[in-house]
Amino acid sequence: MNNGPRNKTLHQSAEERIHNFNEVNLGFDDELMMQEATRCINCKNAPCRTGCPVGINIPAFIKCLTQNDKDGALAVISEASLLPAICGRVCPQENQCEGKCIRKAKLGGSVAIGALERYVGDYGLKKGTAGLKAPAFNGKKVAVIGSGPAGLACAADCAQKGFKVTIFEAFHKAGGVLVYGIPEFRLPKDDVVAREIDKLKALGVEFKLNTVVGKAVTFDELREEYDAIFIGTGAGLPMFMNIKGENLNGVSSANELLTRVNLMQAYKDEAITPVYCGKSVAVIGAGNVAMDAARTAKRIGGGEVYIIYRRGREEMPARAEEIDHAVEEGIKLVLLTNPVEILGNEGRVCGIKCVKMELGEPDASGRRRPIPIEGSEFVIDVDQVVVALGTSPNPLIRKSCKELEFNKKGTIVVDEESMSTNVEGIYAGGDAVTGAATVILAMGAGRKAAKAIIDKLL
Amino acid sequence: MNELLKIYEVAPRVKKYVVHTPVVSKHCLPGQFVIVIVHEGGERVPFTICDYDREKETITLLVQEVGYSTHKMAELKEGDSLYALVGPLGNPTDLDMYENLVLVGGGIGCAVIYPQAKLRKQKGLKSNVIMGARTKDLLFDIDEFKANCENVYISTDDGSLGTKGFVTTVLQERIDAGDKIDCVLVVGPMIMMRNVAELTRKYNIPTVVSMNTIMVDGTGMCGGCRLTVGGETKYACVDGPEFDGHKVDFEEAMNRSRFYREKEEKCRLRG
């Protein structure tokens, strides 16, 4: 066993990376991988596994790595996850597997499970689709709505069991939030996301792009043609604060900024889609999407970027690595601060008026409730405001499948074990069910639904 | 897929495109729109559906050359295909409850109200139409409207055809003449829709406007198309595109629609 401290992954320097969209975290090279893999003590209880939403046999794949058996490691991960190159990059490991690692507190830090998973995932991508082929058709068809992580995971498991799977995607590119939301510098689109999707195509999954279910094809049409339907339509309408000035020019949702830059590639010189690049930008919110938006704004605008959050640093919901990266890139955290008005001049943003906050008693979420400090208003001069406060579920499904049961928040009601909805043969998972959550939870939900579909139809 | 079967020039720099799209033509209704990407790598541009033929599996789009993408579209020939087309998006027009409906079209907005006139005729419902443009060369399909509407009124800013003035001049005349008007559907430039709404407000005539806002996805995700209607934030793509014209905050909507057009804009507009 290696008693040394946790190894750090290779990174592009902050000075360099704020001028490009290339990946920031470069992962482990072979040597670092081996040093880190040998830190795993292969403990019997393997608490890390209980922290993994899809239950990857973590000690087993790391053991393979210590023997430099990359194929073995890939085989172990593939039993539980088909998208390790993606999950190794975007899972909040510190709250999941790594949060449970027994080396966390005293033994030099948790094993860098995420970085090791990514190493294996990238090895898998290099192997490409060789050896993958569609199994014999079992006679049953599955429709998957949305090609984000939930849909991809559901499709992969069903396709491997011989179902004919068709994925319906509203955008002109497959991948959902993996392509429109998460930036290139965190998750490369052509080299990672598209390669993972190629694997599904090799398994016989058909992608119908530019097709909005409920509009271009109705639920009744789907139910006639398919034996099961999985809804993985993800998040929907962006939430705003309902404060004065929110519809000024220069104010957008994080979704809009990220979609223009990621999906429409507005950061490239040859891009056609325009994007507004403020010289001084306020991003409201402190989740992963806020970090993505702030770091994107830094790269396209090159000026000051502020993250405004009403609680403290401890309470920021983003992954630790994303917050660290943002701070390294010179993004300023304006904490315990809440916007009260966006100021405009001739229809355009010219500032944001905020109030300072202090933390009071814990609220229903267990976090201390932020309370405004009277008379503490101040103005930050900005020419762009990006609101990253989450989303409410997409209304299209609710409007087009009236029999489906939704809860008060507008998310789809499912049985948590089978992910089945109240409508026979229709399953759902991901943000459409949970509200804004993580890639790995969506994948886990997609896999649960796939299992239920397989158990029921085979 | 998305093959351009026919292209007609109907006015200077305005063309009609008949697009083969079995999926959209099967489901679309008047008032709905599509999002088009002309070439790979291009931007997503919304266009309202101006006609559809379920048997021939086509929809018709009317496109005026105003920017980079519409210019690129104008370069296409019959037999070429659009890179991507998604739809039908938005909610269909729902005004069948009104017996005496006046359809008002301004400029290329006339094309957008045409399928509504046609569908009402098929359903045995009457409509009157007011078509307006700067000059007569910018008006087209008058005969098609005549075939589907009770009365066709025309206004041109320069008086080259019909009444000299604006669509509001004609609408005021019809109101003064005592025409029974239960509702007005108006499609055109925002300023024209606002002026019509201001006129009808005085007479308490329900007025529906079609908001052609900036959009990216068109499916309720980016929020770029948001506007204020009756004090509430609404999304043109999923809540509209048609709204109560008396409740829309046009000042704000017009300001928002200019965002990427402003010359002093520091964004990286190209083309």
Side-chain angles (χ1 to χ4, degrees):
Chain A
M1 188 189 81
N2 173 350
N3 286 319
R6 175 180 166 112
N7 291 283
K8 290 201 172 79
T9 52
L10 303 167
H11 279 77
Q12 249 202 101
S13 75
E15 301 75 44
E16 191 184 350
R17 73 192 189 226
I18 56 170
H19 301 293
N20 68 52
F21 272 79
N22 300 335
E23 197 169 17
V24 167
N25 185 336
L26 303 170
F28 284 145
D29 59 15
D30 295 346
E31 195 182 326
L32 284 168
M33 176 281 286
M34 190 56 76
Q35 278 182 30
E36 188 63 22
T38 52
R39 290 186 67 239
C40 175
I41 45 186
N42 218 342
C43 52
K44 279 221 170 60
N45 297 336
C48 52
R49 290 192 68 177
T50 65
C52 176
V54 295
I56 293 175
N57 190 341
I58 294 163
F61 98 75
I62 296 181
K63 183 136 203 273
C64 292
L65 284 179
T66 61
Q67 295 155 356
N68 211 15
D69 175 10
K70 296 172 200 165
D71 287 306
L74 184 61
V76 171
I77 293 179
S78 300
E79 284 167 23
S81 168
L82 276 135
L83 309 169
I86 293 173
C87 294
R89 285 173 168 83
V90 302
C91 270
Q93 290 98 358
E94 70 266 24
N95 302 326
Q96 298 178 348
C97 52
E98 294 178 16
K100 308 262 181 177
C101 178
I102 62 163
R103 293 195 64 156
K104 182 180 174 186
K106 288 181 186 158
L107 298 165
S110 309
V111 173
I113 300 166
L116 292 172
E117 182 192 21
R118 169 192 165 153
Y119 179 91
V120 177
D122 286 355
Y123 171 74
L125 292 183
K126 277 190 213 116
K127 287 181 62 165
T129 57
L132 289 176
K133 67 172 187 157
F137 180 40
N138 68 20
K140 300 277 168 55
K141 293 166 82 176
V142 177
V144 171
I145 309 172
S147 66
L152 293 177
C154 181
D157 282 5
C158 289
Q160 283 173 314
K161 291 286 182 188
F163 289 90
K164 175 86 193 85
V165 182
T166 304
I167 301 185
F168 295 86
E169 167 56 46
F171 274 136
H172 54 284
K173 257 186 223 165
V177 73
L178 306 173
V179 295
Y180 77 73
I182 302 175
E184 176 76 17
F185 55 80
R186 202 146 83 74
L187 182 64
K189 309 299 160 222
D190 291 345
D191 294 342
V192 178
V193 181
R195 295 289 81 74
E196 296 277 26
I197 287 168
D198 284 345
K199 288 202 233 164
L200 296 202
K201 289 180 182 163
L203 288 171
V205 175
E206 183 195 5
F207 286 82
K208 284 202 173 181
L209 303 177
N210 301 305
T211 309
V212 180
V213 171
K215 295 285 187 183
V217 48
T218 64
F219 267 90
D220 286 343
E221 287 172 322
L222 286 187
R223 290 171 79 180
E224 205 149 281
E225 191 177 343
Y226 296 90
D227 301 285
I229 298 170
F230 175 74
I231 303 172
T233 46
L237 293 169
M239 307 236 247
F240 287 90
M241 295 168 286
N242 295 316
I243 60 173
K244 201 178 160 206
E246 241 169 352
N247 292 342
L248 286 164
N249 286 345
V251 184
S252 77
S253 70
N255 270 0
E256 181 177 352
L257 174 71
L258 292 171
T259 303
R260 285 180 185 273
V261 175
N262 298 327
L263 180 74
M264 307 311 292
Q265 313 215 310
Y267 67 91
K268 291 188 177 168
D269 283 339
E270 67 274 20
I272 309 301
T273 300
V275 65
Y276 176 60
C277 313
K279 286 290 161 216
S280 181
V281 186
V283 175
I284 319 299
N288 287 320
V289 175
M291 300 305 128
D292 287 346
R295 297 171 69 198
T296 296
K298 187 79 187 175
R299 282 162 174 75
I300 60 175
E304 292 291 350
V305 179
Y306 306 92
I307 285 174
I308 300 179
Y309 181 48
R310 61 196 184 123
R311 302 178 196 254
R313 169 120 187 205
E314 288 303 301
E315 288 82 18
M316 288 174 75
R319 291 174 83 214
E321 178 177 279
E322 309 313 326
I323 302 171
D324 292 344
H325 282 165
V327 171
E328 284 166 23
E329 289 168 13
I331 289 158
K332 301 202 166 87
L333 304 181
V334 185
L335 303 170
L336 290 166
T337 299
N338 206 30
V340 290
E341 182 184 346
I342 300 170
L343 308 173
N345 181 24
E346 294 182 352
R348 306 169 58 97
V349 174
C350 67
I352 186 162
K353 191 174 177 186
C354 302
V355 62
K356 294 217 168 101
M357 311 289 278
E358 59 189 349
L359 293 179
E361 295 300 309
D363 63 13
S365 74
R367 296 181 299 179
R368 293 174 66 194
R369 185 199 306 270
I371 305 163
I373 302 173
E374 222 174 293
S376 67
E377 284 85 358
F378 67 105
V379 172
I380 307 176
D381 291 336
V382 293
D383 58 2
Q384 184 173 12
V385 174
V386 181
V387 183
L389 292 172
T391 60
S392 60
N394 194 306
L396 283 182
I397 295 293
R398 201 163 60 231
K399 281 185 184 167
S400 51
C401 188
K402 298 238 158 67
E403 309 133 85
L404 269 186
E405 192 189 335
F406 290 82
N407 67 19
K408 267 185 280 174
K409 286 180 177 168
T411 55
I412 304 169
V413 176
V414 296
D415 171 81
E416 284 187 15
E417 274 314 300
S418 66
M419 307 311 284
S420 58
T421 68
N422 63 312
V423 182
E424 175 78 20
I426 301 186
Y427 302 76
D431 284 5
V433 167
T434 55
T438 60
V439 168
I440 189 70
L441 280 173
M443 272 187 55
R447 302 203 75 205
K448 269 193 202 169
K451 184 171 184 302
I453 291 168
I454 293 161
D455 289 349
K456 179 144 186 285
L457 294 178
L458 289 189
Chain B
M1 222 165 35
N2 310 331
E3 189 187 342
L4 304 175
L5 300 180
K6 284 275 172 210
I7 302 176
Y8 311 87
E9 183 158 300
V10 296
R13 300 173 84 78
V14 181
K15 285 180 183 167
K16 234 184 213 183
Y17 300 82
V18 180
V19 192
H20 184 243
T21 167
V23 169
V24 181
S25 63
K26 183 177 176 188
H27 295 284
C28 68
L29 285 167
Q32 292 188 297
F33 65 95
V34 292
I35 282 187
V36 166
I37 303 177
V38 180
H39 290 291
E40 187 169 5
E43 62 184 332
R44 298 170 66 91
V45 192
F47 295 114
T48 311
I49 297 166
C50 296
D51 203 0
Y52 52 90
D53 187 325
R54 304 213 200 281
E55 277 174 23
K56 291 183 181 151
E57 302 183 324
T58 61
I59 61 166
T60 302
L61 302 177
L62 189 91
V63 182
Q64 182 169 30
E65 279 184 63
V66 288
Y68 180 85
S69 291
T70 50
H71 181 71
K72 281 284 166 199
M73 188 145 169
E75 289 174 355
L76 297 179
K77 304 272 178 288
E78 288 179 0
D80 289 344
S81 292
L82 298 169
Y83 170 69
L85 182 136
V86 57
L89 299 170
N91 301 302
T93 306
D94 182 17
L95 299 174
D96 288 356
M97 63 290 242
Y98 296 109
E99 195 183 332
N100 300 293
L101 180 68
V102 174
L103 304 170
V104 180
I108 64 164
C110 293
V112 177
I113 54 173
Y114 175 68
Q116 182 58 28
K118 191 170 142 185
L119 185 63
R120 281 178 72 87
K121 170 94 174 174
Q122 284 166 11
K123 288 178 175 174
L125 296 164
K126 293 175 188 167
S127 29
N128 291 314
V129 66
I130 302 173
M131 304 170 72
R134 271 190 290 115
T135 182
K136 73 173 181 356
D137 291 347
L138 301 175
L139 285 166
F140 45 89
D141 290 352
I142 296 169
D143 290 341
E144 280 79 356
F145 274 104
K146 282 183 175 162
N148 288 288
C149 301
E150 291 294 294
N151 295 292
V152 176
Y153 305 101
I154 289 169
S155 74
T156 48
D157 299 7
D158 63 1
S160 54
L161 192 67
T163 303
K164 182 173 181 343
F166 306 112
V167 290
T168 43
T169 319
V170 178
L171 184 58
Q172 182 73 62
E173 281 173 9
R174 298 323 311 161
I175 293 168
D176 294 344
D179 284 10
K180 191 165 165 30
I181 303 174
D182 301 330
C183 177
V184 171
L185 169 66
V186 48
V187 184
M190 282 196 197
I191 190 145
M192 184 205 105
M193 295 195 286
R194 185 196 65 181
N195 292 344
V196 169
E198 287 310 314
L199 173 61
T200 57
R201 189 195 303 275
K202 288 189 262 178
Y203 300 94
N204 285 322
I205 301 169
T207 297
V208 176
V209 297
S210 178
M211 300 303 287
N212 47 338
T213 57
I214 288 174
M215 280 184 196
V216 185
D217 63 299
T219 61
M221 202 199 71
C222 78
C225 66
R226 68 190 188 279
L227 66 166
T228 305
V229 182
E232 278 181 64
T233 294
K234 294 281 180 189
Y235 300 87
C237 67
V238 290
D239 296 324
E242 294 177 359
F243 294 98
D244 180 341
H246 295 154
K247 291 187 177 165
V248 169
D249 182 340
F250 278 104
E251 286 305 316
E252 180 187 275
M254 285 190 276
N255 180 54
R256 288 182 62 76
S257 73
R258 281 191 294 266
F259 184 40
Y260 281 106
R261 254 186 266 152
E262 290 170 357
K263 278 186 186 148
E264 72 276 15
E265 185 57 73
K266 287 175 197 146
C267 70
R268 293 175 294 169
L269 255 186
R270 296 171 194 97

